Amino acid sequence: MAALVILASTMVVAGWATTDRSGTYSFFGATNVSHVPVDPDTNPVELGLRFTSSRAGTLTAVRFLKAAGAGGSHPVTVWSARGQKLATAMSGNESRSGWQEVTLPTPVRIEAGQVYVVSYHTSRYRATQDYFERPAKSGPLSSVDFAGVYKYGPTGFPSQTWKKSNYWVDVVFAPTATGTSSPRPTASPSRTTGPTASPSGSPNPTPTRDLPPLALPRVPWEGGPGYYGGYAPARGAGWTDPAFFPIGVWQESVVARADAERDRSVGLNTYVAPTDNSDLGLVAAAGMHVIGGSPRQTGPATVGWSLSDEVDMWGGPGSAAWTGNYPGRGAVCDPPDGRCGYTVQEAMLRRFPADGGLRYANYGKGVMFWETDTEASRFVNSYTNVVSNDIYWYTDPGVCNSPSEGPGIGVRPEDCRRAANYGRTMDRMRQLDGLDGKRQPIYAFVEVGHPFSENDAPTITGDQIAGAVLNSLIHEARGVLYFNHNFGGPCLSQHVLRDSCGAAVRPTVTELNRRISVLAPVLNTQSYQWRFNPSLDTMLKAHGDSYYVFAMPGRTGGTGTQRLTLPAGMSGSRAEVLFENRTVPISGGALQDTFARESTYHIYKITP
């Protein structure tokens, strides 16, 4: 959301209370909201609350906390968990600000245990970041995971989340009579909107009912979001929040407010090495982050610094003197036939301020294909605390046929242009990263258009982008970066995700980023080691009271109907297929599903 990074107000006392109005319940009826801030964002947005009830009943009205200057009337909507519109109404005779209650023309039947969403549409709103560190409860009512939701644009189903924010949408719910006395108000613990902080500055949420650990080894990792607690700018920017997952764009410009707004609407939250003419004040106002490419890119949004890009290729593995030149501007190393990539990175480290921020570098074909483990490991492990590698398997005109590239590591041309090879890149980087006994986050790097100048090179599709990103996540990517430039093909662009050149892929990328953001608390947990099917690339995680299985075809085969065998200790009768509005049965300790293409992925939620 627009400026929610700065919205946390530690003065607001938010008591979760039951309201008794002829036997009805609301979440926030007794809450002191006098200090809930107004967000400076003025873009049209649908704001909502996801909730469930342990008892059946009827929803008679929708309530929302109005911001001053928000206009005179607002539409409210009741939705199913999958976005089916169940009821709508329009407010009338609103007060200038404060709580508004909109009665539904016909009460909506609420079934016990089902998830529903209530929302309203506005262009001015009040919000509290980090509110839903633990569920809000009121009698039979309870908020659910990813409780505060939004959607920019015209009225529509809100499903995006931001930093556990509460947008102050509420219900009036009347449970079905059960023959017992009417509900009475019960005292609820009060809380402040600023969460209790651990020594590292990360929130200490009250845990939900967690699953017992499986008797399986864990995948080695760097520690999840807590890793960023060691880097003050990232810690202060909220990167230790389990609900945050870095989704960035490479060398983009931000020269107008609309630039940041458009990028944020696609689901981006970080700029890596933005152009020198970018206005970092606009980035900060949008609640986004910067990994700066030059010392001039210092500001409140800056969380770290980007060292030289692909220096493993143009500088090479060596410590010869660096002339200060970059490729195309004269000799790079001294002597000219020397290798000076290590020297370049050491110079970059000295160039940036000692501010405790992250140090990031992206590497390329040198680290991936050409260099020995010893040479490549020095690039990966000596200069950075976040790293990536950009091999564009879908679009690179040479990677599938050059003996020194894909074929040199055993990738057959017919198996080259597959999402699974982006996971192969992650595996190579993780292998090198582990050689020094320490771990750092490794980010995926995926193209979104036609990054090569050869016009006859392939252009990536939306499905391929989604497959490349998901396979990278399955192979333990801790962030996603997009290469946003078309250097060839029919539509040249430096801003693919903004302009008409990206029209074909933008909806897919937007939905993909939404899903990543929704799943951030799951992705930010440590994976279990388990192979569900040798033809599939898979990942197993546990969060709260559910297991999550990510699956898609591997490096060869894997399409068609596939069986996924569950490990001992994982129980359940059905698996929900997230984002697909369906379930699959679990029988004989396994589930079965179909993978139509090499880029098809499914995410299963299994709740014992």
Side-chain angles (χ1 to χ4, degrees), residues 214 216-221 430 473-478 522-530 538-542 548 550:
L214 295 170
L216 295 173
R218 299 278 191 164
V219 174
W221 75 331
R430 282 180 53 79
L473 295 175
I474 287 172
H475 288 262
E476 303 296 327
R478 290 288 178 266
V522 177
L523 294 170
N524 282 324
T525 64
Q526 189 174 13
S527 303
Y528 285 102
Q529 294 183 29
W530 180 255
T538 57
M539 178 173 68
L540 170 60
K541 290 181 176 287
Y548 294 80
F550 297 67

Side-chain angles (χ1 to χ4, degrees), residues 141-493:
L141 298 174
S142 177
S143 66
V144 298
D145 287 348
F146 321 117
V149 288
Y150 70 92
K151 175 188 178 296
Y152 278 112
T155 184
F157 182 58
S159 57
Q160 294 178 275
T161 63
W162 181 259
K163 292 186 176 293
K164 301 182 180 70
S165 295
N166 184 1
Y167 303 115
W168 298 97
V169 189
D170 203 350
V171 301
V172 177
F173 173 73
T176 301
T178 60
T180 60
S181 58
S182 299
R184 292 174 295 174
T186 58
S188 302
S190 63
R191 64 186 290 269
T192 64
T193 58
T196 303
S198 68
S200 68
S202 59
N204 283 327
T206 301
T208 58
R209 179 174 64 85
D210 290 330
L211 295 166
L214 295 170
L216 295 173
R218 299 278 191 164
V219 174
W221 75 331
E222 77 296 329
Y227 176 89
Y228 297 113
Y231 305 94
R235 183 176 68 243
W239 283 41
T240 56
D241 185 348
F244 175 78
F245 197 85
I247 304 175
V249 63
W250 174 259
Q251 289 193 344
E252 183 56 277
S253 63
V254 182
V255 297
R257 179 180 176 182
D259 295 336
E261 291 174 350
R262 188 67 183 270
D263 295 338
R264 189 186 59 220
S265 72
V266 177
L268 303 176
N269 55 41
T270 303
Y271 294 97
V272 179
T275 58
D276 287 340
N277 65 337
S278 292
D279 185 338
L280 300 195
L282 296 173
V283 176
M288 301 173 75
H289 312 283
V290 170
I291 296 177
S294 76
R296 295 188 299 275
Q297 294 179 339
T298 300
T302 304
V303 298
W305 303 99
S306 176
L307 309 186
S308 285
D309 178 48
E310 295 181 343
V311 70
D312 56 319
M313 299 171 63
W314 57 265
S319 297
W322 178 36
T323 64
N325 290 331
Y326 290 92
R329 299 180 182 177
V332 170
C333 304
D334 185 12
D337 59 351
R339 296 179 175 183
C340 59
Y342 304 148
T343 309
V344 174
Q345 295 300 60
E346 290 162 3
M348 290 296 102
L349 288 177
R350 295 190 297 269
R351 179 185 183 193
F352 293 115
D355 59 356
L358 297 168
R359 297 295 185 267
Y360 159 80
N362 177 66
Y363 295 108
K365 294 179 179 180
V367 164
M368 184 69 190
F369 300 126
W370 304 336
E371 296 159 4
T372 67
D373 286 358
T374 300
E375 292 171 334
S377 175
R378 182 166 174 180
F379 277 124
V380 171
N381 293 312
S382 298
Y383 312 109
T384 62
N385 36 52
V386 178
V387 70
S388 67
N389 192 300
D390 60 350
I391 306 299
Y392 300 139
W393 294 95
Y394 275 126
T395 59
D396 188 323
V399 71
C400 297
N401 298 299
S402 173
S404 65
E405 298 183 15
I409 60 170
V411 179
R412 300 182 304 173
E414 60 267 31
D415 297 324
C416 180
R417 302 208 184 280
R418 293 177 67 95
N421 284 320
Y422 291 79
R424 186 191 294 268
T425 302
M426 287 297 307
D427 287 350
R428 169 63 172 167
M429 295 299 289
R430 282 180 53 79
Q431 175 241 332
L432 294 169
D433 181 53
L435 291 179
D436 66 347
K438 299 180 290 185
R439 292 282 175 181
Q440 63 184 316
I442 301 173
Y443 292 176
F445 216 126
V446 178
E447 70 272 40
V448 294
H450 194 113
F452 294 91
S453 58
E454 293 88 339
N455 290 329
D456 58 351
T459 299
I460 198 168
T461 67
D463 287 344
Q464 290 172 338
I465 295 169
V469 169
L470 259 293
N471 201 274
S472 299
L473 295 175
I474 287 172
H475 288 262
E476 303 296 327
R478 290 288 178 266
V480 177
L481 303 179
Y482 294 112
F483 190 77
N484 200 31
H485 310 280
N486 283 355
F487 295 136
C491 193
L492 301 182
S493 174

Side-chain angles (χ1 to χ4, degrees), residues 523-600:
L523 294 170
N524 282 324
T525 64
Q526 189 174 13
S527 303
Y528 285 102
Q529 294 183 29
W530 180 255
R531 194 72 184 269
F532 290 85
N533 179 321
S535 297
L536 300 176
D537 283 359
T538 57
M539 178 173 68
L540 170 60
K541 290 181 176 287
H543 175 68
D545 60 358
S546 299
Y547 299 107
Y548 294 80
V549 179
F550 297 67
M552 65 184 303
R555 296 175 184 177
T556 60
T559 55
T561 301
Q562 301 290 332
R563 178 181 173 88
L564 286 79
T565 301
L566 308 184
M570 269 185 73
S571 61
S573 59
R574 301 192 71 83
E576 178 186 2
V577 190
L578 297 182
F579 313 113
E580 297 185 38
N581 195 27
R582 64 185 179 95
T583 63
V584 293
I586 298 173
S587 177
L591 62 87
Q592 187 170 285
D593 208 350
T594 300
F595 297 82
R597 299 175 301 279
E598 57 81 22
S599 60
T600 298

